[in-house]
Amino acid sequence: MRLYQTLVLTTLCITNVVHAIWLDTNNDTTIREDCNLIAKGLLDYYEGTKYGGTIGMFTPPYYWWEAGGAWGGLIDYTFFFENDTLVPLIKAALEYQTGDDNNYVPLNQSTTEGNDDQGFWGIAVMGAAERNFSNPEDPDKAWLTLAQSVFNTMTARWDENECNGGLRWQIFQWNSGYDYKNSVSNGCLFHIAARLARYTSNDTYVEWAERVWDWMYGVGLLTEGDWWFVYDGAKVANNCSNITKYQWTYNQGLMLAGCAYLYSYTQDKKWYNYTHRLLDGSRVFFKNISGSMVMYEAACQPSGTCNNDQRSFKAYFSRFLGLTSVLVPDTEPIITKWLVDSANSAAGSCSGGTDGHTCGLDWTNWTRGWDGMYGLGEQMSALEVMQNLMAHKRPAPYTASNGGSSLSNPAAGYGTSITNTSPLHLGPGDKAGAGIITAIVGVSLIGTCVWLIL
Ligand SMILES: *[C@@H]1O[C@H](CO)[C@@H](O)[C@H](O)[C@H]1NC(C)=O
Ligand SMILES: *[C@@H]1O[C@H](CO)[C@@H](O)[C@H](O)[C@H]1NC(C)=O
Ligand SMILES: *[C@@H]1O[C@H](CO)[C@@H](O)[C@H](O)[C@H]1NC(C)=O
Ligand SMILES: *[C@@H]1O[C@H](CO)[C@@H](O)[C@H](O)[C@H]1NC(C)=O
Ligand SMILES: *[C@@H]1O[C@H](CO)[C@@H](O)[C@H](O)[C@H]1NC(C)=O
Ligand SMILES: *[C@@H]1O[C@H](CO)[C@@H](O)[C@H](O)[C@H]1NC(C)=O
Ligand SMILES: *[C@@H]1O[C@H](CO)[C@@H](O)[C@H](O)[C@H]1NC(C)=O
Ligand SMILES: *[C@@H]1O[C@H](CO)[C@@H](O)[C@H](O)[C@H]1NC(C)=O
Ligand SMILES: *[C@@H]1O[C@H](CO)[C@@H](O)[C@H](O)[C@H]1NC(C)=O
Ligand SMILES: *[C@@H]1O[C@H](CO)[C@@H](O)[C@H](O)[C@H]1NC(C)=O
């Protein structure tokens, strides 16, 4: 047993946290059993199996986008543990929420849906294609086709009128944030393009990934230096020159894994270089506790201000780290150490709630164990950090030529509701709601500016 495991256990015993789940990162059975428990807790937030609930949606206050994030993590769960129990549930959710045009811009979500929201559902179905997840009967809902539809509708919104390119945060003009071009929206497009390139061997997707990368780099959303960082975004005013310098785990992960996919497919040294530089920069999201490197959301966790969205970011970051370590093998030692240390610490935090194994937000304090926080994001993050310990024990993401069986339609999504022109009829409540939410996000951002200085 390693030193930190002993420390975690000892402190848990001293503090009488009897329920914390026991994880042995060398024992696949305990990883699986822990993930089963955590997945069960995650699905407590699922609406679709409850009376009057909507298929694919989690209970309020969780936004639609986070459901896309959760399904993406659960697809991996079924694959890593070769457990088909949840497949029908996940499949129904992914199929129900495609929207009438099969592009993940469903009418119900038009008051809040941004490019990033669509992107996270796109990433979920891309993962479904790569994991050879059970194929839908309707060819228009084939996982790959849906991912292509998301890609095509996103690229149709590429906006050269402001800042020489880039996607805006919002799809619809009436939503706050339409004047903002951010890394998560552009990062989703970059990431999906990279994965489509590798899956389909179609170089048009590489060209798009390069276009997005070059734009983000040119504007200053990606910074070089000793460490490469991904900043949050910039308002279109003044040619996107005023960069909002918050750093989030999921943005770093989107770009990191995107580069890893591009290197895996093109073997171009450039992407290898960028993968390593972004990996070096990822170090800022790990707290060194007696040599143990524990993942944390550095921009909001220490100040206790993470909102519901931000509380799920470590889930995607864990997933993207796992993928990177598989696609660019020499990143594996450092990523495995980060995941093992973080998974152990996360397990130590899963001692809350009435079930005794609800997971917390902050994994960095072993004395305390569970920090009293709970929610969909906490469950997702603990699940993904633990299940990615399995990333090397199962096949790498499949492609069309080595195991994937999802139907391709490179033209999917063309001619559908791809642009941002015709406003829908919004009730005043809806509009105010969106505005207030954005205001709250804005205030908490200002309050939580944490400069990540090493
Ligand atoms: C792995 O964990 C399971 C369940 O806790 C246990 O039954 C089994 O003996 C462990 N295997 C090893 C090799 O330690
Ligand atoms: C398979 O997944 C289901 C749902 O999460 C879980 O209840 C079950 O215990 C899992 N089976 C095994 C063998 O781990
Ligand atoms: C849209 O919202 C209505 C009302 O809540 C619900 O009945 C329906 O299932 C939703 N459709 C989707 C695709 O979420
Ligand atoms: C606006 O920014 C882009 C990207 O950084 C740059 O290429 C372009 O020259 C700038 N345009 C003006 C008018 O400053
Ligand atoms: C840049 O953005 C910050 C934060 O949104 C704002 O306070 C500041 O006034 C902006 N500066 C300029 C020159 O627009
Ligand atoms: C990596 O990329 C940076 C930025 O483009 C460049 O300055 C550096 O020379 C590259 N390093 C290698 C080893 O290619
Ligand atoms: C972590 O901290 C320990 C001292 O507690 C130090 O020896 C080690 O080099 C640090 N590791 C990293 C990666 O910074
Ligand atoms: C960890 O939690 C304990 C118990 O809640 C608290 O006393 C201690 O100050 C915390 N340590 C840090 C570094 O926050
Ligand atoms: C992928 O799924 C298809 C259809 O179910 C199946 O024929 C094929 O064997 C699967 N590929 C792998 C690698 O399991
Ligand atoms: C490659 O992708 C592009 C962009 O979606 C598409 O227009 C083109 O038809 C695809 N080519 C092939 C051979 O599938």
Side-chain angles (χ1 to χ4, degrees):
M1 200 184 311
R2 299 184 199 186
L3 175 64
Y4 52 82
Q5 281 183 309
T6 318
L7 285 173
V8 171
L9 278 179
T10 312
T11 48
L12 288 176
C13 292
I14 291 168
T15 54
N16 240 336
V17 183
V18 283
H19 289 299
I21 62 177
W22 157 243
L23 176 68
D24 175 352
T25 57
N26 292 315
N27 182 333
D28 296 354
T29 309
T30 70
I31 298 173
R32 175 169 53 77
E33 288 173 350
D34 286 354
C35 287
N36 288 344
L37 282 176
I38 297 168
K40 187 168 180 294
L42 190 161
L43 288 172
D44 285 346
Y45 296 95
Y46 184 44
E47 255 195 13
T49 44
K50 293 177 184 147
Y51 179 74
T54 300
I55 296 169
M57 297 288 286
F58 286 78
T59 51
Y62 300 109
Y63 287 121
W64 179 78
W65 84 275
E66 196 168 336
W71 300 124
L74 287 166
I75 289 165
D76 278 356
Y77 165 82
T78 66
F79 182 78
F80 286 146
F81 302 111
E82 300 176 77
N83 181 342
D84 287 346
T85 309
L86 296 179
V87 168
L89 183 103
I90 299 168
K91 191 174 176 179
L94 293 172
E95 290 184 300
Y96 192 77
Q97 289 296 332
T98 60
D100 295 339
D101 295 328
N102 291 323
N103 59 6
Y104 288 114
V105 188
L107 210 55
N108 273 5
Q109 301 304 330
S110 52
T111 54
T112 61
E113 183 174 351
N115 280 298
D116 48 345
D117 305 57
Q118 186 191 20
F120 269 83
W121 283 85
I123 291 168
V125 285
M126 191 67 231
E130 291 172 347
R131 300 309 194 188
N132 202 31
F133 194 73
S134 172
N135 289 309
E137 271 178 35
D138 180 352
D140 290 338
K141 292 185 194 283
W143 311 129
L144 177 60
T145 294
L146 288 170
Q148 289 166 316
S149 176
V150 168
F151 170 86
N152 288 335
T153 52
M154 285 179 98
T155 53
R157 288 190 291 266
W158 186 258
D159 170 36
E160 304 265 356
N161 294 330
E162 307 264 17
C163 316
N164 234 15
L167 285 177
R168 293 167 182 272
W169 180 13
Q170 296 300 328
I171 297 174
F172 302 106
Q173 283 164 357
W174 60 83
N175 283 336
S176 308
Y178 188 71
D179 60 347
Y180 194 60
K181 292 196 170 178
N182 60 358
S183 285
V184 65
S185 296
N186 289 282
C188 279
L189 177 58
F190 171 75
H191 183 91
I192 292 169
R195 291 172 77 158
L196 284 171
R198 179 176 171 277
Y199 190 96
T200 63
S201 301
N202 179 338
D203 289 337
T204 308
Y205 297 121
V206 178
E207 286 162 25
W208 262 104
E210 283 192 323
R211 178 172 300 153
V212 181
W213 176 279
D214 290 347
W215 178 79
M216 288 177 74
Y217 180 80
V219 145
L221 291 176
L222 302 170
T223 60
E224 303 182 84
D226 288 342
W227 286 286
W228 283 31
F229 295 141
V230 185
Y231 291 138
D232 187 78
K235 289 215 168 170
V236 295
N238 304 318
N239 200 23
C240 290
S241 59
N242 190 5
I243 303 287
T244 307
K245 293 192 169 176
Y246 305 111
Q247 290 165 242
W248 305 107
T249 52
Y250 75 158
N251 282 335
Q252 191 87 12
L254 278 168
M255 301 311 292
L256 169 72
C259 290
Y261 271 93
L262 287 168
Y263 176 63
S264 169
Y265 171 57
T266 63
Q267 295 293 305
D268 182 339
K269 280 280 175 210
K270 173 171 88 176
W271 299 116
Y272 175 85
N273 180 14
Y274 297 167
T275 303
H276 275 277
R277 300 289 81 77
L278 286 166
L279 187 67
D280 292 345
S282 302
R283 164 73 181 80
V284 297
F285 299 113
F286 294 85
K287 204 172 217 173
N288 183 348
I289 303 171
S290 320
S292 195
M293 304 297 282
V294 182
M295 189 188 294
Y296 75 124
E297 195 61 54
C300 63
Q301 233 177 264
S303 50
T305 51
C306 296
N307 65 26
N308 283 326
D309 291 339
Q310 293 154 4
R311 282 152 61 188
S312 71
F313 290 176
K314 296 199 294 296
Y316 326 116
F317 189 40
S318 300
R319 192 192 310 168
F320 298 147
L321 285 170
L323 289 167
T324 300
S325 75
V326 168
L327 295 166
V328 183
D330 67 359
T331 64
E332 187 272 336
I334 181 74
I335 290 178
T336 296
K337 172 166 171 56
W338 289 351
L339 290 177
V340 165
D341 290 358
S342 301
N344 273 312
S345 304
S349 93
C350 295
S351 61
T354 49
D355 60 5
H357 48 253
T358 292
C359 301
L361 175 67
D362 179 6
W363 306 335
T364 63
N365 187 332
W366 298 342
T367 318
R368 186 188 47 205
W370 184 50
D371 63 354
M373 301 291 284
Y374 59 90
L376 178 59
E378 282 83 345
Q379 292 303 118
M380 288 166 59
S381 297
L383 177 68
E384 295 215 43
V385 77
M386 287 189 207
Q387 73 184 10
N388 272 287
L389 299 172
M390 301 294 294
H392 290 267
K393 296 176 177 164
R394 297 281 296 130
Y398 296 123
T399 68
S401 56
N402 78 352
S405 61
S406 194
L407 294 177
S408 173
N409 177 2
Y414 287 138
T416 63
S417 57
I418 48 178
T419 52
N420 41 41
T421 41
S422 58
L424 303 173
H425 299 289
L426 276 183
D430 291 340
K431 188 147 192 168
I436 288 165
I437 289 153
T438 309
I440 292 167
V441 172
V443 168
S444 67
L445 275 178
I446 290 161
T448 60
C449 179
V450 171
W451 296 105
L452 298 167
I453 302 164
L454 278 173

